[in-house]
Amino acid sequence: MALTPPAGDPAPIAEPILLGIYRNIYATRRFELTCIELYRQGHIRGYLHPYLGEEAVAAGACAALRPDDYIVSTHRGHGHCISKGADLSLMMAEITGKATGYCRGRGGSMHISSKQVNNLGANGIVGGGIPIAAGAAMGIMVRQTDQVVVAFFSDGASNNGVFAESLNMAGIFRLPVIFMLENNHYAVSTPIECATGCCDLAGRGPAYGVPGICVDGNDAVAVYHETLRAAGRARRGEGPTLIEAKTFRHGGHHVNDPGLYMDPQALAEWKARDPLTLMKQVIADPSKTRIIETEVESELEAAVAFALRSPEPDVAEFIAGIPEH
Amino acid sequence: MALTPPAGDPAPIAEPILLGIYRNIYATRRFELTCIELYRQGHIRGYLHPYLGEEAVAAGACAALRPDDYIVSTHRGHGHCISKGADLSLMMAEITGKATGYCRGRGGSMHISSKQVNNLGANGIVGGGIPIAAGAAMGIMVRQTDQVVVAFFSDGASNNGVFAESLNMAGIFRLPVIFMLENNHYAVSTPIECATGCCDLAGRGPAYGVPGICVDGNDAVAVYHETLRAAGRARRGEGPTLIEAKTFRHGGHHVNDPGLYMDPQALAEWKARDPLTLMKQVIADPSKTRIIETEVESELEAAVAFALRSPEPDVAEFIAGIPEH
Amino acid sequence: MVEMMYREALRRALDEEMQRDPLVFLMGETIAERGGSYKVTEGLWQKYGSRRVIDTPIAEASFTGMAVGAALVGCRPVVEILFVDFAMLVMDQIVNQAAKIEFISGGQGKVPMVLRTQGGAGNGLAAQHSQSLEALFYHIPGLKLVMPATPADACGLLKSAIRDDDPVIFIEHKLLYMTRGPVPEEEFLIPLGKAEIKRPGRDATLITYSHMTLKCLEAAAFLEKEGIRVEVIDLRTLAPLDTETLLDSVRRTGRAVVVHEACKRGGVGGDIAAMLMEQAYDDLDGPVLRIAGRNTPIPYNLKIERACVPSVEEIVAGVLSIL
Amino acid sequence: MVEMMYREALRRALDEEMQRDPLVFLMGETIAERGGSYKVTEGLWQKYGSRRVIDTPIAEASFTGMAVGAALVGCRPVVEILFVDFAMLVMDQIVNQAAKIEFISGGQGKVPMVLRTQGGAGNGLAAQHSQSLEALFYHIPGLKLVMPATPADACGLLKSAIRDDDPVIFIEHKLLYMTRGPVPEEEFLIPLGKAEIKRPGRDATLITYSHMTLKCLEAAAFLEKEGIRVEVIDLRTLAPLDTETLLDSVRRTGRAVVVHEACKRGGVGGDIAAMLMEQAYDDLDGPVLRIAGRNTPIPYNLKIERACVPSVEEIVAGVLSIL
Ligand SMILES: Cc1ncc(C[n+]2csc(CCOP(=O)(O)OP(=O)(O)O)c2C)c(N)n1
Ligand SMILES: Cc1ncc(C[n+]2csc(CCOP(=O)(O)OP(=O)(O)O)c2C)c(N)n1
Ligand SMILES: [Mg+2]
Ligand SMILES: [Mg+2]
């Protein structure tokens, strides 16, 4: 579901936006759990990196975007795609490798994208999306529209050179891009403390002339406000912002990783601040969240049914499409 | 000439060190001017990037190193090589493409290196030497010696991703490497203000958990003291340091670039603080500098004579050394 | 026809395409006010401004990745990588991103970008500024690969490359920038994927591209005096390869030599030779010969540098050896 | 002989060499406590500690560059790049640095490093985790290139690669890690640059390497039942290429097929085919055939993924087509 932000300054947040955020958190949560099930049943192959526990970042950020704004996603990308408004059926068909999926079964989970909602795509290369996002922002500059781009990526990617380079270039060209650093504290099994000697990754912004701020990534409303503010700056030609949203995975790196290396106490603390529960508390009215949940459940059921009954890509057709030399 | 630093803390700097620094600044200055002449005469081909105006950085830094310490150099690398103690004749033979040169005429100016003095080499790839330096430091860690490595590079390279990555890794592994950022304010014709939105490049250190300091790069003694301090930290296992030495080219990017784009006022100001003159003032006694100058002149004369009378590499021998498949 | 230099022809192509389509823009190092190291973009910044002629920091990986992003949102970026050697810094963006996105997105995304770069030996620039690395792109599905030899081809092919919806690697040669040749006065395009018979002949086919085209033409002129008429085919576009023109020629001449400056081992010559053998074995009177660069990095010293790449004499001798 | 898995054989090689030489050390992502994504380095961190089994951040370009630096000062680093696809991030360090330094330094510097990585399709990992990119290294002078197919070769060649004074690109295959085979109990080395006849024959020569060796052996076993005896040569080392063994075999059989998983266009098959033609034309009874991957990125869906790489049936059909 794509959400339209209120015009002007971050006024008290309107209820439809709050409900939309809740919808996206809930939908992502349930979508991921369903994917894990389908993976266990053999319907999904390859790599599957659930976004469990981090849903509030994408939901909060995308709520602050317009439908014509762009996002660039990662290997852990279902939540970004859902929150930007993608169709669950076309997503599920893709993730199960069907001809009816967004990418005709060629991309899968790690490469999910949706032109329909301006999701420029997940990426199997850690950090690979960061310059692409900056470049989309440069495209916006060339075209002179007032769109913005959000680049999602995590702490691991922030130690890759393309992050520094892109941050620097976005700064000098004042590109309308928001660097949304989802610091989930791990890159596979490597805790962030072992991957860098610096404390707040947001501090890298100023080192490249870009404002950097930290936000509680489990608090979707906080993410929403910071994104809205950054998007406003970007639209006004004031350039990029680095937002470090601190969050935590609820499990291993991918579906087959039990994540035993994770600090159990930290995990428990973060789980106690489950973004789904937190957002439910914001809405406060259980009848409203229940309606959303029911809607999502039936959407999801339909998505699974659609995916499973969809045909696989046709081999002969696939081969016919390959150039000979 | 390789110089041995005094043991222990930066006490008042001993005269032989000061004289050594002066020698290296003077030798570099004269070497570069001679190369430009030889280039004009057709004895040197390809790219030639003079280090004119920046001599104090290499001379000051190398004076703080031991002969068994390593340096990693750049396309503007003659000064580094000379200050680390390389032989002017073997250098000149290399730069004129002779079989007797350090690299047998295969490397030339842009790839000058000297195993003899632990100069791991200049590099034609901007930033290419930075990870190599960090890696040499890792080699030192593996071998458990107390050597250090100085990576020379300039402002342009500092906007390349390998700088950020290497800084970060040097920080977490506490590698004995000194990142000597020769900020000469230009990358070819691009002024540093147009290449980054940040002010002091030294500030990038803390963003990666590495201490960063600024120093006047035209003041060789200041560079010496900061390098000595950083080398001490590195030898004691306290990790890397980023030193931003601010300096300025006295001319264009390479021998054929008149550098008309350079800010004339800034150029005049920097030239008024010529590192050669400044160091001469430190020595104060003109009889001592004169002796050095005379020595250098005759060394240089011998170097040119050696280079010009040396044979070019033999084509048949070269071809014979190439593996067939 | 007007006479112009290769680099002027490239500039004209950029200028015409920027004029025609406001979504075309340029990115690279010192290409703006300074006009680029080889002066290809001279004057364009003055004409089109800093939004469309963009000087970047030395961050090849990311500005190439940015071109991918800009292309994805509908622009037609042309990035300049100063030396093809430096393209090694952007292989992820080219191989894993630009070449893959249309495929992995099931056709949702397109990456109509051009990467202009420049290769080859000959100026004493040594091992990191003299390579011929086209084979690395030739092997990657999803990329087009263009290497023009003449000013007219440079102009017409660059215009087509910019209009093409696939990522195009466009490799110039440092020894060609100052060469001159006739270029049509009127606007013109040369389609990608079409080789050109630069000199017709019947005794053997010389298949080549880029700077070696000039050497092959010289060799052919020399051989003509000996009464040997060789056909010289300039591939112009390496991928997609114009197999039809090649097969047609080889079927007529019965003999083929592939000539390139890049190292022989793993060069595109092997692929072309193998293809010809597979598809025209019965028409061939002998093996397809490769004349190519030696299996070595390029040295600084000019004398030994010269020994690394094929000379006119070697090409002549090669042709004579198979007749 | 003991039976072990390919990945165990690799681990044994690393272990033995680390034991033997304190200058050998390992660097890569999650290779230490976690033992690597494919479990090759399991237990080595526990045995050799964090100074010699080093987990890095996700900064491939720089940690590969660091291996170059460490090698230059006398160490023998072995870096692991998780997927050969990610090796596109380190091409500058490999092509411009590791492969060039000995040359440009006139022999002063040596870079005795090994880059271990892994490629190939088959697990539904899609276009950025399934490529076969060996041709990109094969073309670069100054690199050695090893691609073992069996546990014994993996062990013996990795040991030799570590002891070699040149940079060695060592590419494993994701479908081989769990395969088993006999490995000598005593310490042993296999020299780089020597192909192995994995199955002798006289009717045709199948030239292959890595995972395709298994498919070629299957095809040969099948053909044997039809009375056709094909010789299967596993290159093991691609660069330097063991031309002698290849020419010798082809001269005996008169027919050759080169089989690899990488895309045909610009793959090493073309180079090998061209070399055989150039050097053994008169001994050949027909063209050298290439059976190779299709000219496409690898898709996620398993059914179409399978269609991208040569199958045993295609190999059989290919051999039959040239007899
Ligand atoms: C360039 C590159 N290196 C390594 C990998 C393997 N890999 C996949 S995900 C991952 C961890 C990424 O960590 P982070 O950026 O923090 O993202 P997260 O998984 O936490 O969302 C790694 C190392 C990769 N896909 N790409
Ligand atoms: C990766 C790479 N990109 C571009 C170049 C071309 N180039 C050579 S020197 C140079 C400028 C380098 O600037 P800086 O790092 O500040 O070094 P300085 O010349 O000031 O010493 C450029 C762009 C190169 N050699 N390598
Ligand atoms: Mg993470
Ligand atoms: Mg500079």
Side-chain angles (χ1 to χ4, degrees):
Chain A
M1 186 196 291
L3 297 155
T4 311
D9 272 335
I13 186 165
E15 194 181 55
I17 293 176
L18 291 175
L19 295 178
I21 292 175
Y22 183 74
R23 185 271 176 191
N24 285 337
I25 294 178
Y26 186 81
T28 303
R29 176 66 53 93
R30 292 288 302 120
F31 190 88
E32 294 299 52
L33 293 171
T34 307
C35 282
I36 292 172
E37 218 174 292
L38 291 172
Y39 187 95
R40 304 259 179 259
Q41 292 165 12
H43 294 294
I44 298 176
R45 313 300 293 253
Y47 281 134
L48 182 70
H49 305 93
Y51 195 60
L52 295 170
E54 309 185 27
E55 300 92 340
V57 183
C62 291
L65 299 182
R66 301 193 315 223
D68 68 336
D69 290 330
Y70 295 100
I71 65 165
V72 170
S73 171
T74 68
H75 59 283
R76 199 177 300 289
H78 300 175
H80 312 137
C81 202
I82 291 172
S83 291
K84 193 63 174 55
D87 183 287
L88 300 190
S89 293
L90 301 185
M91 282 184 67
M92 197 58 96
E94 184 55 38
I95 294 165
T96 53
K98 299 307 179 72
T100 53
Y102 270 120
C103 314
R104 302 169 61 195
R106 296 176 178 199
S109 166
M110 206 154 42
H111 300 297
I112 193 110
S113 65
S114 165
K115 194 180 165 112
Q116 192 189 359
V117 302
N118 277 2
N119 174 2
L120 296 178
N123 212 308
I125 304 296
V126 171
I130 302 175
I132 291 176
M138 178 163 271
I140 289 169
M141 186 181 90
V142 170
R143 291 187 340 218
Q144 297 182 261
T145 68
D146 70 342
Q147 292 155 287
V148 306
V149 184
V150 173
F152 291 100
F153 59 102
S154 186
D155 49 297
S158 79
N159 294 320
N160 195 284
V162 292
F163 170 54
E165 292 184 356
S166 301
L167 199 58
N168 188 54
M169 285 195 278
I172 54 177
F173 302 127
R174 294 182 178 254
L175 300 179
V177 56
I178 299 165
F179 295 98
M180 184 63 71
L181 198 172
E182 314 185 290
N183 182 354
N184 62 6
H185 296 80
Y186 283 95
V188 190
S189 59
T190 307
I192 180 67
E193 310 84 61
C194 295
T196 185
C198 95
C199 305
D200 278 328
L201 298 171
R204 294 189 184 168
Y208 293 95
V210 173
I213 55 157
C214 287
V215 65
D216 176 359
N218 281 24
D219 178 346
V221 176
V223 174
Y224 165 79
H225 280 304
E226 289 303 346
T227 308
L228 198 60
R229 197 168 299 142
R233 293 187 62 235
R235 290 193 217 284
R236 289 190 302 272
E238 293 164 21
T241 306
L242 168 61
I243 300 177
E244 180 187 357
K246 304 212 192 231
T247 183
F248 216 77
R249 292 186 327 228
H250 278 188
H253 172 62
H254 55 52
V255 60
N256 282 332
D257 171 18
L260 299 177
Y261 48 81
M262 292 174 87
D263 174 355
Q265 199 192 325
L267 183 57
E269 280 168 26
W270 281 97
K271 278 195 166 171
R273 302 189 56 259
D274 183 329
L276 184 65
T277 321
L278 293 187
M279 196 60 208
K280 205 168 199 152
Q281 285 160 2
V282 172
I283 310 274
D285 179 348
S287 71
K288 290 184 176 158
T289 51
R290 210 170 309 118
I291 292 171
I292 289 171
E293 290 167 11
T294 315
E295 273 172 19
V296 167
E297 292 300 339
S298 70
E299 245 184 276
L300 192 56
E301 208 173 300
V304 172
F306 173 76
L308 296 186
R309 77 165 179 267
S310 285
E312 291 196 69
D314 183 66
V315 174
E317 189 190 318
F318 174 74
I319 293 175
I322 300 172
E324 180 52 33
H325 213 99
Chain B
M1 185 195 295
L3 299 155
T4 312
D9 272 335
I13 186 165
E15 193 181 56
I17 294 176
L18 291 176
L19 295 178
I21 292 176
Y22 183 75
R23 185 271 176 192
N24 286 338
I25 293 178
Y26 186 81
T28 303
R29 174 67 52 93
R30 292 289 301 121
F31 190 88
E32 296 298 52
L33 293 171
T34 307
C35 283
I36 292 172
E37 218 174 294
L38 291 172
Y39 187 95
R40 305 259 178 258
Q41 293 165 11
H43 294 295
I44 298 176
R45 312 300 293 251
Y47 282 133
L48 182 70
H49 304 93
Y51 195 60
L52 295 170
E54 310 185 25
E55 300 92 339
V57 183
C62 292
L65 299 182
R66 301 193 314 223
D68 68 334
D69 290 330
Y70 295 100
I71 64 164
V72 171
S73 173
T74 68
H75 58 285
R76 199 178 300 289
H78 301 175
H80 312 136
C81 201
I82 291 171
S83 291
K84 192 63 176 53
D87 183 286
L88 300 189
S89 294
L90 301 185
M91 281 184 69
M92 198 58 94
E94 183 55 38
I95 294 165
T96 53
K98 299 306 179 71
T100 54
Y102 270 121
C103 313
R104 303 168 61 195
R106 297 176 177 198
S109 166
M110 207 156 40
H111 299 296
I112 192 110
S113 65
S114 165
K115 195 180 165 112
Q116 191 189 0
V117 302
N118 277 1
N119 174 2
L120 297 178
N123 212 307
I125 304 297
V126 170
I130 303 175
I132 291 176
M138 179 163 272
I140 290 169
M141 186 181 90
V142 169
R143 291 185 341 216
Q144 297 181 261
T145 69
D146 70 343
Q147 292 155 286
V148 306
V149 184
V150 173
F152 291 100
F153 60 101
S154 186
D155 49 296
S158 80
N159 294 319
N160 195 284
V162 292
F163 170 54
E165 292 183 357
S166 301
L167 198 59
N168 188 54
M169 285 195 278
I172 54 176
F173 302 127
R174 292 184 179 253
L175 300 179
V177 56
I178 299 165
F179 296 98
M180 184 64 69
L181 198 172
E182 314 184 289
N183 183 355
N184 62 5
H185 296 79
Y186 285 95
V188 191
S189 59
T190 307
I192 181 68
E193 310 84 61
C194 295
T196 185
C198 94
C199 304
D200 278 328
L201 297 171
R204 294 189 184 167
Y208 293 95
V210 172
I213 55 158
C214 287
V215 66
D216 176 359
N218 281 23
D219 178 347
V221 176
V223 174
Y224 165 79
H225 280 305
E226 289 304 346
T227 309
L228 199 61
R229 198 168 298 141
R233 293 187 61 234
R235 290 193 216 285
R236 290 191 301 273
E238 293 164 22
T241 305
L242 168 61
I243 300 177
E244 179 187 357
K246 306 213 192 229
T247 183
F248 217 77
R249 293 186 325 229
H250 278 188
H253 172 62
H254 54 54
V255 62
N256 283 331
D257 171 20
L260 299 177
Y261 48 81
M262 292 175 86
D263 175 353
Q265 198 192 327
L267 182 57
E269 280 168 26
W270 282 96
K271 277 195 167 173
R273 302 189 57 258
D274 183 327
L276 183 66
T277 319
L278 293 187
M279 197 60 207
K280 205 167 199 154
Q281 286 160 3
V282 172
I283 310 274
D285 178 347
S287 70
K288 289 184 177 160
T289 50
R290 210 170 311 121
I291 294 172
I292 290 171
E293 290 166 11
T294 314
E295 274 172 19
V296 167
E297 293 300 338
S298 70
E299 246 184 273
L300 192 56
E301 208 173 301
V304 172
F306 174 75
L308 296 187
R309 76 164 176 266
S310 285
E312 293 197 68
D314 183 67
V315 174
E317 189 191 317
F318 173 74
I319 292 174
I322 300 171
E324 179 53 33
H325 213 102
Chain C
M1 289 285 178
V2 286
E3 274 265 316
M4 56 171 76
M5 280 196 279
Y6 189 84
R7 70 179 182 203
E8 291 165 338
L10 291 164
R11 187 185 312 143
R12 170 171 150 189
L14 293 172
D15 191 5
E16 286 178 4
E17 292 306 302
M18 290 184 79
Q19 188 84 54
R20 195 184 64 86
D21 181 352
L23 295 173
V24 176
F25 73 96
L26 316 183
M27 235 193 309
E29 290 160 14
T30 62
I31 62 164
E33 195 166 357
R34 196 155 172 266
S37 276
Y38 287 93
K39 305 277 163 235
V40 172
T41 55
E42 219 165 47
L44 298 175
W45 175 78
Q46 287 76 2
K47 186 163 174 188
Y48 297 102
S50 333
R51 211 201 331 268
R52 293 182 65 201
V53 184
I54 301 169
D55 264 351
T56 64
I58 307 169
E60 284 83 1
S62 298
F63 74 70
T64 304
M66 285 168 67
V68 175
L72 267 176
V73 302
C75 293
R76 294 188 174 271
V78 181
V79 287
E80 177 177 303
I81 298 286
L82 229 47
F83 285 78
V84 73
D85 315 70
F86 311 164
M88 296 302 94
L89 288 110
V90 309
M91 291 302 276
D92 174 51
Q93 285 70 34
I94 295 300
V95 173
N96 291 328
Q97 312 296 344
K100 300 290 188 285
I101 288 179
E102 181 175 356
F103 183 87
I104 54 178
S105 72
Q108 293 179 96
K110 294 219 176 290
V111 186
M113 67 179 278
V114 178
L115 185 146
R116 276 188 51 239
T117 185
Q118 167 269 123
N123 281 342
L125 299 179
Q128 294 173 338
H129 288 69
S130 306
Q131 294 172 85
S132 296
L133 295 170
E134 59 273 14
L136 278 62
F137 303 106
Y138 183 76
H139 187 46
I140 305 299
L143 298 179
K144 288 181 175 153
L145 176 58
V146 180
M147 297 184 73
T150 67
D153 287 345
C155 183
L157 286 164
L158 182 52
K159 286 168 65 77
S160 294
I162 292 171
R163 296 187 194 184
D164 199 274
D165 280 344
D166 289 328
V168 179
I169 309 297
F170 192 96
I171 309 181
E172 303 154 15
H173 195 292
K174 55 175 72 61
L175 298 183
L176 290 174
Y177 286 119
M178 313 269 276
T179 58
R180 294 177 168 280
V183 177
E185 231 157 317
E186 303 287 287
E187 193 187 352
F188 69 104
L189 292 166
I190 296 175
L192 304 188
K194 291 277 162 238
E196 188 182 55
I197 300 177
K198 283 273 190 315
R199 179 189 180 107
R202 53 164 198 225
D203 298 327
T205 303
L206 276 176
I207 299 165
T208 190
Y209 55 90
S210 191
H211 185 244
M212 281 295 146
T213 304
L214 275 55
K215 292 202 181 177
C216 286
L217 287 170
E218 252 190 80
F222 178 89
L223 287 162
E224 170 112 71
K225 287 186 263 161
E226 314 277 298
I228 298 160
R229 307 251 292 262
V230 296
E231 180 147 307
V232 178
I233 300 184
D234 175 6
L235 291 175
R236 305 195 296 190
T237 300
L238 277 72
L241 186 70
D242 185 359
T243 52
E244 213 175 303
T245 299
L246 301 185
L247 287 166
D248 177 66
S249 170
V250 167
R251 287 191 178 117
R252 280 187 283 106
T253 63
R255 291 187 160 87
V257 184
V258 190
V259 182
H260 57 63
E261 178 173 339
C263 296
K264 186 188 286 180
R265 188 178 79 196
V268 303
D271 186 73
I272 294 169
M275 181 279 292
L276 293 173
M277 298 276 189
E278 282 168 346
Q279 297 191 32
Y281 189 76
D282 293 335
D283 299 302
L284 282 164
D285 300 325
V288 178
L289 187 69
R290 291 174 297 167
I291 299 179
R294 288 183 203 278
N295 188 28
T296 172
I298 303 292
Y300 161 62
N301 175 282
L302 287 182
K303 234 172 78 187
I304 48 176
E305 178 187 38
R306 220 172 288 130
C308 295
V309 301
S311 63
V312 174
E313 295 70 41
E314 275 174 83
I315 299 168
V316 167
V319 171
L320 293 175
S321 80
I322 60 154
L323 290 180
Chain D
M1 290 284 178
V2 286
E3 274 265 317
M4 56 173 75
M5 280 195 277
Y6 189 84
R7 71 179 182 204
E8 291 166 339
L10 291 164
R11 187 185 311 142
R12 172 172 147 189
L14 293 172
D15 191 5
E16 286 178 4
E17 292 307 301
M18 291 183 79
Q19 188 85 53
R20 196 184 62 86
D21 182 352
L23 295 173
V24 176
F25 74 96
L26 317 182
M27 236 192 310
E29 291 160 15
T30 63
I31 62 164
E33 193 166 359
R34 196 152 172 266
S37 276
Y38 287 93
K39 305 276 161 234
V40 171
T41 56
E42 218 164 48
L44 298 176
W45 176 79
Q46 287 77 0
K47 186 162 174 190
Y48 297 102
S50 333
R51 209 197 335 263
R52 293 182 64 201
V53 184
I54 300 168
D55 264 352
T56 65
I58 307 169
E60 284 84 0
S62 298
F63 74 70
T64 304
M66 286 168 66
V68 175
L72 267 177
V73 302
C75 293
R76 294 189 173 270
V78 182
V79 287
E80 178 178 302
I81 298 285
L82 230 47
F83 286 78
V84 74
D85 315 70
F86 310 164
M88 296 303 95
L89 287 109
V90 310
M91 290 302 275
D92 174 51
Q93 287 69 33
I94 295 301
V95 173
N96 292 328
Q97 312 296 343
K100 301 289 187 285
I101 287 178
E102 182 175 354
F103 183 87
I104 55 178
S105 72
Q108 293 179 94
K110 293 218 177 288
V111 187
M113 65 179 279
V114 178
L115 185 146
R116 278 187 50 240
T117 186
Q118 165 271 122
N123 280 342
L125 299 179
Q128 294 174 338
H129 287 71
S130 305
Q131 293 172 86
S132 296
L133 295 170
E134 60 273 14
L136 278 61
F137 303 106
Y138 183 76
H139 186 47
I140 305 298
L143 298 178
K144 289 182 174 154
L145 176 59
V146 179
M147 297 184 72
T150 68
D153 288 344
C155 182
L157 288 164
L158 182 52
K159 286 169 65 79
S160 295
I162 292 170
R163 295 187 195 186
D164 198 274
D165 280 344
D166 290 328
V168 179
I169 309 297
F170 192 97
I171 309 181
E172 302 154 14
H173 195 292
K174 55 176 70 63
L175 299 182
L176 289 174
Y177 287 119
M178 312 271 276
T179 58
R180 293 177 169 281
V183 177
E185 230 157 319
E186 302 289 285
E187 193 187 352
F188 69 104
L189 290 166
I190 296 176
L192 304 188
K194 292 275 162 239
E196 189 182 56
I197 299 177
K198 283 273 188 319
R199 180 187 178 109
R202 51 162 199 227
D203 298 328
T205 303
L206 276 175
I207 298 165
T208 189
Y209 55 90
S210 190
H211 185 243
M212 281 294 146
T213 304
L214 275 56
K215 291 201 181 175
C216 285
L217 287 169
E218 251 189 80
F222 178 90
L223 287 161
E224 170 112 69
K225 287 186 263 162
E226 316 275 298
I228 298 160
R229 307 250 291 264
V230 297
E231 180 145 307
V232 177
I233 299 184
D234 175 6
L235 292 175
R236 306 196 295 192
T237 300
L238 277 72
L241 187 70
D242 184 358
T243 52
E244 212 176 302
T245 299
L246 300 184
L247 287 166
D248 177 68
S249 171
V250 166
R251 289 193 175 115
R252 281 187 281 105
T253 64
R255 291 187 159 87
V257 184
V258 190
V259 182
H260 57 63
E261 177 173 338
C263 297
K264 186 188 287 181
R265 188 177 80 196
V268 303
D271 186 73
I272 294 168
M275 182 278 293
L276 292 173
M277 298 277 190
E278 282 168 344
Q279 298 192 31
Y281 189 76
D282 293 336
D283 298 302
L284 282 164
D285 300 325
V288 179
L289 187 70
R290 291 174 297 167
I291 300 178
R294 288 182 203 278
N295 187 28
T296 172
I298 303 292
Y300 161 62
N301 174 282
L302 286 182
K303 234 172 77 185
I304 50 176
E305 179 187 37
R306 218 172 290 130
C308 295
V309 301
S311 63
V312 175
E313 294 71 39
E314 275 174 83
I315 300 169
V316 167
V319 172
L320 293 175
S321 79
I322 59 153
L323 289 180

